Every structure is written in C-alpha cells, then in structure tokens.
Amino acid sequence: MARQADVMELAKRRGFFFGANGAYGGVAGFYTYGPKGAALKDNLESAWRDRFTVKQGNHEIEAPTVMPEAVFEASGHLDGFDDMLVECPECGVSHRADHLVEGATDIEDAEALGPERVGELLGEHDVECPNCGATLAGEPIDEFNLMFETSIGPGSGQPGYLRPETAQGIFVEFPRLKEYARNRLPFGVTQIGPAYRNEISPRRGIIRVREFTQAELETFIDPESDEPPLEEVADVEVTLYPATEQDAEDGEPYETTVDEAVAEGVVGSDWVGYYLGIAQTWYERVGVDMDRFRFRQHLPGELAHYAADCWDAESEVSGDWVEITGFAYRGDYDLSKHAEHSGESFTVFKQYDEPKTVERATVAPDMATLGPEFGGRAGDVADALERLAERDPDAFEADEVTVDLDGDEVSVPTDLANFSVEEVTENGEHVTPHVVEPSFGIDRVLYTLVEHAYREDTVDGEERTYLALDPELAPTDAAVFPLVSNDDGLLELADEVTADLRAAGLAVEHDDSGSIGRRYRRQDEVGTPFCVTVDRDGLEGDGPDTVTLRERDTAAQVRVPVADAAAELETLLDPESDRAFEDLTSAYGAVETDVETA
C-alpha cells in the first residue's frame, strides 16, 4: 500500500499537483495542478460528465462562483456553515477541534458529537496543541463560518461570498431551468466547477483544501409520483456501512445489492439507492480500488438540516477513510427557502390527466377594518391569513386566529377573515420538487485514483514505480521514443508517428532524452499506458516499417506496422472496446528481443 509521502513526492516531481504560490512562501490549502495533474483532472471531469450528464440525459450549467449575501441567507449557510475551532492559549494557532479528537481517540466522526462534547473530549484525553504542545483542555470551542466573504462593486459595495458549493448556483436558477426542461419532472441539472471553504486547518495535500472542484447533480422530482429506474442497478453489488453497524460494538461494513438494500430499508430512498448503484459502476470504471471503498451512512448527529437520508462514498487512502462523494435526499428545503426569501416561484405546474373537483379553503380579509388596525402591516396580515387557511383550515373554527409576522404573533377576529370552503375545479397543481443530490469532490477522487494506482515492482532486475491508471484517465495516451537520438532516420520516423497519433486525437509525448530505460520509467511514473519505440530493426526488414508498442503494467511488447499503430492504439484506448493488448500479441507476435534497458 502506498504511503501518502510517496504519493505526494511523486505528484510534485512529475507535475501532478503541488502547493501554490511557492515563490512567496505558499498559502496552506491552495494547490496548483501541473501539466500531468491538469490533464488527469480534465479526463476525470470528462468521464464524470459522460456518465452523469450525457448518459443520464441531464442539463449542464455554469454559474458564477461569487454570489450575493441574500442567496446564503436563504440557503442557511450564513447561520449554519460552521466548523469547530479551538485556539491554543500559548501559540495562538487555531485548530479544527473535532479533528484533534479523532486523532486522539478511536472516534471516526467527532463532528457529529457537537461542540460541547468535543470540548469535553479534549480535556478527557489531555489533547495538546500540535504546533507547540500546550494543553487544550478547558479551551472554548468556537463555531467558525467557512465562507470567504467579499464585496461586489466599488467601495463597501454589496456583500457577497465565494460559493461553498456549486449546488446553490443551480437552485437559484430553478425558475428559468424548469422552462428549459419544459416544466416536466423529473429532470436533472449538473455543474462542475470550483467551490471555496476557509478551512481552519487544511491538511493531507489535496484532500482538505480551501479551493476545490465539485461535480454535482441536482435531480428534481415529484415526490408523489416519480420513481427512479431502479431495475438498471438492482443487481449492482455495494459495500454498505449503515448507521446501525456503526453504532454496534462489533459492527462492520457488509456487501449487498442495491435492490436488497432498498427493499430492506437500509437505504431509505429509492433515488439515493439508484445513485449509489450508478456511482458504484462509475468508480469501478475510473479505477477506484473496490477493496478500499465503501458507502457509509450518516449518523443522526451528522445529518444536514435539510437531509432525510445521507450516505458518503468513502475511499481508504493512507490508512484512513476519506469522503469523496455525498448522496443526499434534500427534500424541498432548498427550493422552498429560495421561494420564501426571493418571492419567486420555485414550483412546477403538474397537469392532471382529468380535471378534479376539490374543496379549497379561502379567506377574503376585511381590509377596511384590518387597515386602520394594523396600518402598514395589514397586507402582511392578510397574506399570513391566506397561508394559514391553506395550511390549517381548522384554525378558523375558533373565534380568533393567530398568525406569525416575523416572530410577532398577531390575533385577528375570525369573522374579519371571511373564511370559507369552496368547491373548485382544478386542472393541475403547483408542486415544489424534491431534490436528490450526488455531490462529488473531484480533487479527492483524483487523489484516490493516484494512490490506488500507485505500484512498485521489478522489471529486468530493476525496481520501478508506476501508476496503473485506467487508460481513459491517464494524462498521456502514448509516448513515442526513437531508440537512439543521433539517427536521422529514426528521428524522422518518430516525428511522423507522433504526428499520426496526434492527428488521431491522442495525447502524445515525444521523448528522445536519455536511455530508453529511463524514458520508460518516466512514462510509467505518470501512468502513460503505451509507449511506441522506433528502432533500426523496424526500418530494415523486408516488409513495411514497424514500431514496437509497449504496455505499461506488464512491460510486454509487440511489433506492429507503422500504418496500423494509430488505429490499434485508438482501439486499445477506447473504453467501449473489448480489444486488449494480448490480442495484439496474438495478431502480430510478441517481441522476442527486449529493448527495455537498451
């Protein structure tokens, strides 16, 4: 199993990712993706988009990363998007209190315990400041809001925030997005882009950072009638770690199928179960090690205020379990809150198959009396009475009804409300959709892929390190090497082969620096699945010119005609193709003479 130190060293040396702004000392929690990392990240996002946007038939948008304060007042982020902070009394350095507790105990998710209990545990285990060693027992636990604040416009401007999640950019645009979906449920909207959280203590490379990339899907459904196509994933096997097992003294994750998990109520939502199955197959596709992967259910103390049921996809990296995706049934919380704060309609009109005659409670407030009584608030009182009639018509059976105006209770004589129940014929109703959300942390998935692909072995008596990345994700598709760099004939053919492969749409490197063995090692370390070697034997035979194709994981080689090289590599790299490197060996014959260390 790879150590994080080894992975981070390789990532920096080979241009995957490294701390940003190094010339100025760097700032914790910000990383730059180098040439290999940017290419890997782009391929990962493309694979996600292919599965969750294209194949699901969803819409994709790109919303601003800065949003006005009102958005986050409505979403609840201003009041509830906090982490637990403890400050060292000696050196003044702040730390994430729940993380310190997790490091000092066997508790896996101290965040669910709340600030009071976390503070007690700091004292019970005599937790010390990681920076200076001073005791943190008895120090207050403060709640620290994670959003980056900014100002929109000149001067003090309009308060705004860098978005802490991409989801809100989808929710606030729902009134327009539903039109693009022809006002029909269900429909899904995806977005891939940066999000920002002012983490108290960024750590573990790109696992916990202050700027990161999310890939989110918000599926809008009618909770009364929309069901997912669960049969598509019914037999998909998943490893689940439900809350009941986490609470049990000898509880362990266990394997089951999506169908069984939903039927037995372990996964409470058909929609969440459906996306667990879809995600499982996608993780397998991109190269996550399924022996180091599980779905863990949120404990009651972890559940977000909007969520009825939440599961995290977790990968094991460097001995720890890390959340890489969250799956939540968010109900109608988000759309209802934005409707309430904005005054816009966040509903979809649901047409009935046939008109229905229903009883509807209505009020016609006597404004001639309410006006002098309540002055400028008379209109608000009337609106509150209408909402009460819709929500609780029985309240009007008393002599007085009481409504709430921003925390101030107001009583109104019932006869002034002119309450009545009427029969009306309706052609449909306005439905506030519920939301099902898979939210992927792209950076964490990327780190998982790199660590899970990290390998060490021996080839021809020489130790090597390589990344067994899935070819679909690898930063470079192929590398072309002239066997020696002072042979004009080899250099010319290598240039032609490189041009042919690039014309076929492949990401190709041309390398003539150093021994052929060193060039192979460089490409192995960045996960390049195939190398193409141009040697004199390939030019001097009786038949057409040939090159040697080398496969990364096995170091096996096969000689193919130059004219076939591009087509063969295209097929090998196509995730939909069944052709394997062994098929080339059967077709062309394995190379007997090894140029691995030539």
Side-chain angles (χ1 to χ4, degrees):
M1 182 182 298
R3 297 181 305 155
Q4 184 175 8
D6 296 329
V7 175
M8 294 298 292
E9 189 276 332
L10 183 148
K12 183 177 181 180
R13 177 163 49 83
R14 291 302 184 196
F16 280 94
F17 48 83
F18 47 86
N21 309 302
Y24 292 92
V27 179
F30 295 96
Y31 275 76
T32 292
Y33 283 93
K36 296 303 178 186
L40 174 58
K41 185 168 180 281
D42 183 65
N43 291 342
L44 177 60
E45 291 174 5
S46 295
W48 189 92
R49 180 178 287 110
D50 174 69
R51 186 64 191 87
F52 291 92
T53 302
V54 178
K55 285 187 169 60
Q56 294 293 116
N58 293 321
H59 308 271
E60 182 175 2
I61 70 166
E62 183 176 342
T65 58
V66 177
M67 306 178 77
E69 184 178 56
V71 170
F72 301 110
E73 288 178 351
S75 68
H77 283 88
L78 280 184
D79 295 329
F81 197 63
D82 304 318
D83 273 347
M84 288 179 270
L85 178 150
V86 61
E87 182 177 310
C88 175
E90 296 295 329
C91 67
V93 174
S94 296
H95 304 283
R96 180 92 178 256
D98 52 318
H99 287 171
L100 296 180
V101 167
E102 291 167 2
T105 68
D106 294 331
I107 298 171
E108 292 187 2
D109 192 22
E111 184 180 11
L113 302 177
E116 183 177 346
R117 180 56 182 150
V118 166
E120 293 173 354
L121 288 168
L122 290 177
E124 291 173 11
H125 293 273
D126 197 23
V127 176
E128 297 178 345
C129 170
N131 187 57
C132 72
T135 182
L136 299 176
E139 293 303 310
I141 307 298
D142 296 322
E143 293 186 327
F144 173 73
N145 192 282
L146 299 178
M147 287 196 296
F148 283 100
E149 187 174 4
T150 187
S151 183
I152 302 172
S156 58
Q158 178 184 4
Y161 293 87
L162 301 183
R163 65 186 184 191
E165 61 180 11
T166 62
Q168 296 306 319
I170 297 175
F171 295 143
V172 297
E173 305 302 347
F174 179 82
R176 187 173 297 276
L177 295 174
K178 69 179 182 181
E179 296 178 9
Y180 302 147
R182 300 184 182 276
N183 289 287
R184 292 181 179 176
L185 298 174
F187 71 90
V189 181
T190 67
Q191 184 170 197
I192 304 175
Y196 307 85
R197 297 181 185 179
N198 195 10
E199 293 285 349
I200 295 169
S201 51
R203 58 178 183 167
R204 304 188 65 189
I206 59 173
I207 294 295
R208 186 171 294 280
V209 289
R210 289 174 167 139
E211 178 181 353
F212 54 96
T213 299
Q214 282 187 313
E216 294 193 299
L217 163 59
E218 310 301 332
T219 302
F220 300 99
I221 65 169
D222 181 342
E224 298 297 325
S225 60
D226 291 334
E227 295 290 341
L230 201 59
E231 66 280 359
E232 294 179 5
V233 296
D235 296 329
V236 172
E237 294 184 351
V238 290
T239 299
L240 300 184
Y241 194 20
T244 52
E245 291 296 315
Q246 296 173 58
D247 287 336
E249 195 168 313
D250 57 349
E252 293 286 343
Y254 62 87
E255 292 186 7
T256 185
T257 65
V258 170
D259 187 53
E260 290 171 349
V262 172
E264 294 170 3
V266 177
V267 176
S269 162
D270 289 6
W271 280 97
V272 170
Y274 170 71
Y275 281 122
L276 294 186
I278 293 292
Q280 172 83 19
T281 58
W282 183 78
Y283 291 125
E284 293 174 353
R285 164 183 164 180
V286 298
V288 174
D289 183 352
M290 290 295 109
D291 291 332
R292 302 164 65 185
F293 177 84
R294 70 187 185 188
F295 291 108
R296 186 186 69 83
Q297 187 177 31
H298 281 207
L299 296 170
E302 294 178 80
L303 280 174
H305 53 276
Y306 53 73
D309 191 19
C310 279
W311 290 77
D312 286 342
E314 296 185 329
S315 66
E316 186 276 313
V317 292
S318 304
D320 293 324
W321 288 99
V322 173
E323 173 198 351
I324 58 176
T325 305
F327 301 83
Y329 190 101
R330 299 179 71 122
D332 64 357
Y333 173 85
D334 302 281
L335 298 187
S336 294
K337 284 295 184 182
H338 285 299
E340 177 186 335
H341 282 73
S342 69
E344 295 290 325
S345 172
F346 283 73
T347 63
V348 170
F349 185 73
K350 177 182 177 181
Q351 187 84 28
Y352 295 146
D353 294 334
E354 296 181 359
K356 296 181 180 179
T357 299
V358 298
E359 291 186 341
R360 170 164 293 177
T362 64
V363 292
D366 183 353
M367 299 306 293
T369 304
L370 294 183
E373 178 70 22
F374 296 103
R377 296 204 300 173
D380 294 335
V381 173
D383 292 340
L385 289 170
E386 290 179 7
R387 291 194 295 270
L388 180 62
E390 182 178 345
R391 183 178 70 251
D392 183 15
D394 292 341
F396 290 83
E397 294 179 0
D399 293 335
E400 286 188 336
V401 290
T402 302
V403 295
D404 181 86
L405 296 183
D406 296 327
D408 182 18
E409 289 190 348
V410 173
S411 294
V412 178
T414 303
D415 58 358
L416 294 181
N418 289 319
F419 174 82
S420 63
V421 176
E422 301 174 355
E423 283 193 351
V424 295
T425 299
E426 296 180 340
N427 294 313
E429 63 180 315
H430 289 274
V431 174
T432 300
H434 284 202
V435 176
V436 186
E437 176 194 73
S439 175
F440 291 69
I442 291 295
D443 308 83
R444 291 185 176 190
V445 175
L446 185 147
Y447 182 86
T448 294
L449 295 181
V450 173
E451 183 168 312
H452 286 193
Y454 187 95
R455 305 281 193 278
E456 293 177 349
D457 68 357
T458 302
V459 174
D460 292 334
E462 181 181 338
E463 293 184 359
R464 70 161 178 163
T465 298
Y466 70 99
L467 295 183
L469 292 170
D470 186 280
E472 182 184 6
L473 277 294
T476 305
D477 294 322
V480 178
F481 306 146
L483 185 60
V484 293
S485 60
N486 58 357
D487 186 318
D488 291 341
L490 295 186
L491 292 173
E492 182 178 348
L493 182 56
D495 287 340
E496 292 177 7
V497 171
T498 300
D500 288 346
L501 297 183
R502 287 175 177 163
L506 305 184
V508 180
E509 281 198 9
H510 182 287
D511 188 356
D512 57 14
S513 174
S515 70
I516 192 70
R518 287 184 178 273
R519 283 180 269 173
Y520 281 144
R521 298 297 172 266
R522 286 198 288 265
Q523 295 303 322
D524 290 344
E525 279 200 320
V526 297
T528 303
F530 302 104
C531 291
V532 183
T533 304
V534 181
D535 58 13
R536 180 53 59 180
D537 289 345
L539 276 67
E540 295 178 345
D542 294 334
D545 291 344
T546 63
V547 292
T548 300
L549 298 188
R550 173 189 180 271
E551 197 265 342
R552 175 197 63 212
D553 295 355
T554 63
Q557 300 179 52
V558 63
R559 190 176 291 280
V560 302
V562 170
D564 296 346
E568 290 290 7
L569 283 173
E570 276 189 279
T571 303
L572 291 172
L573 291 164
D574 183 357
E576 305 295 329
S577 171
D578 294 330
R579 191 163 176 80
F581 194 81
E582 292 80 6
D583 298 323
L584 269 68
T585 303
S586 300
Y588 298 104
V591 172
E592 298 296 334
T593 56
D594 194 352
V595 297
E596 187 78 16
T597 56

